[in-house]
Amino acid sequence: MISGAPASGKGTQCHLITSKYDLVHIAAGDLLRAEIASGSENGKKAKEYMEKGQLVPDEIVVMMVKDRLSQPDSAEKGWLLDGYPRSSSQATALQAYGFKPDLFILLDVPQEILVDRVVGRRLDPVTGRIYHLTYSPPETQEIAARLTQRFDDTEERVKLRLQTHNQNVESVLSLFEDITVKVDGSLSKEDVFAKIDNALSNLIEQNNAPLGMAAT
Ligand code: AP5
C-alpha cells in the first residue's frame, strides 16, 4: 500500500514501482474518476464529494476497490493499493475481505510543497503519465499540447483535500504501524524511488518469494 497527502507523489511512485515489480496498480482516485467518466449514478454522487475535497462515502468506494482487488490479475501478480484505505472503516473492510498488505509506504512531504505540486500537475491522456510544469516537464511540444488538468487540482480545492487528509490520517496510520516504511517524499522522484525500491527488495529477500506470493 502507498499512502500520503494529496500530491505527495503516490501516483508518480506507483508508476516507477509497477514498471520494476509488475504489480497491479489500483488507485482509488482513478477508479472514482473512471466511474465519473462512465456517467453512472455512483460517479455523479462521487463527484459531488470530490469537488468539495471530501472522502467519497464507503458504500461507493469499498466495493469498487474490493472488486478490483478480486480480479485474477491482482491475485496472480500482487497488488499496489494507492489512496486506500483513508479511514479506519475502509481498513476494516479490507481486512474483512481477506486482503492483507505486506508493506505500508508512507510518503512524508511538508504541506507548503504540496500546493505547488498540485497546481503545476498535468496529465497525459494518451500515456497516463504524470507531469509537472516545473519539476517534471513534458519531453516534447506534442505532449505539452495535449496535457490536461484534473478538476480538483486548484489551490482552493487542494486546501480542502489537505484538511480531509489531516483529519483522517492518524486513524489509518495507527493500524499499519508495524509494517510502515516512512519515506521523505520531498526528495527527487528518483531518490524517493530508490528508498522504496530498497524496502521492497528487503521484503522480497525476507519472504524469499516475489511480491504478492509471500507465505502467510
Ligand atoms: P486521489 O486521486 O487519490 O488524489 P490525492 O490523494 O489527492 O493524491 P493525488 O493524486 O493528488 O497526488 P499523488 O500523491 O498521486 O501525487 P502525484 O504523483 O500525482 O483522490 C482524489 C479524490 O478522490 C479525493 O480527494 C477524494 O475525494 C476521493 N478519494 C480517493 N480515494 C478515496 C478513498 N479511499 N475514500 C474516499 N474518497 C476517496 O504528484 C503530484 C505532482 O507532483 C505531479 O505534478 C508530479 O509530477 C509532482 N511530483 C511527484 N513527485 C515529485 C517529487 N519527488 N519531486 C517533485 N515533484 C514531484
Side-chain angles (χ1 to χ4, degrees), residues 4 26 46 49 70 81 86 97 103 143 156 176 181 198 201 215:
I26 303 174
Y49 288 86
S70 304
L81 196 47
R86 295 195 196 213
Y97 290 122
L103 197 69
I143 299 173
E156 187 195 17
F176 297 103
V181 172
N198 189 38
S201 311

Side-chain angles (χ1 to χ4, degrees), residues 39-193:
S40 71
E41 278 312 306
N42 273 350
K44 284 181 193 146
K45 197 167 165 194
K47 193 170 183 198
E48 286 172 26
Y49 288 86
M50 291 165 80
E51 279 179 334
K52 290 187 247 166
Q54 293 172 357
L55 292 186
V56 174
D58 282 2
E59 72 221 39
I60 297 177
V61 178
V62 170
M63 290 316 281
M64 209 177 268
V65 171
K66 185 222 164 206
D67 287 348
R68 185 63 190 89
L69 281 167
S70 304
Q71 286 175 25
D73 60 342
S74 305
E76 278 159 26
K77 294 181 173 184
W79 41 266
L80 174 60
L81 196 47
D82 164 4
Y84 184 103
R86 295 195 196 213
S87 63
S88 54
S89 61
Q90 291 184 5
T92 309
L94 195 71
Q95 198 179 23
Y97 290 122
F99 296 105
K100 188 174 167 288
D102 295 308
L103 197 69
F104 187 90
I105 302 162
L106 174 63
L107 296 178
D108 188 29
V109 180
Q111 300 225 353
E112 55 274 18
I113 299 182
L114 298 171
V115 175
D116 187 32
R117 282 196 186 175
V118 161
V119 176
R121 172 169 45 195
R122 296 292 183 276
L123 304 171
D124 183 345
V126 176
T127 61
R129 276 204 56 184
I130 304 167
Y131 290 95
H132 190 282
L133 295 179
T134 311
Y135 310 124
S136 197
E139 297 86 351
T140 64
Q141 280 294 336
E142 193 191 346
I143 299 173
R146 68 186 185 218
L147 295 181
T148 60
Q149 202 172 5
R150 260 168 53 176
F151 69 85
D152 56 350
D153 271 358
T154 61
E155 187 165 343
E156 187 195 17
R157 284 185 181 147
V158 75
K159 285 184 177 156
L160 298 172
R161 282 155 62 196
L162 269 168
Q163 247 175 40
T164 304
H165 170 78
N166 293 339
Q167 280 160 9
N168 292 290
V169 65
E170 279 309 321
S171 66
V172 175
L173 296 189
S174 58
L175 298 172
F176 297 103
E177 252 169 355
D178 53 334
I179 55 162
T180 295
V181 172
K182 192 170 169 178
V183 177
D184 180 355
S186 67
L187 303 172
S188 72
K189 66 178 178 185
E190 292 80 13
D191 287 348
V192 175
F193 179 64

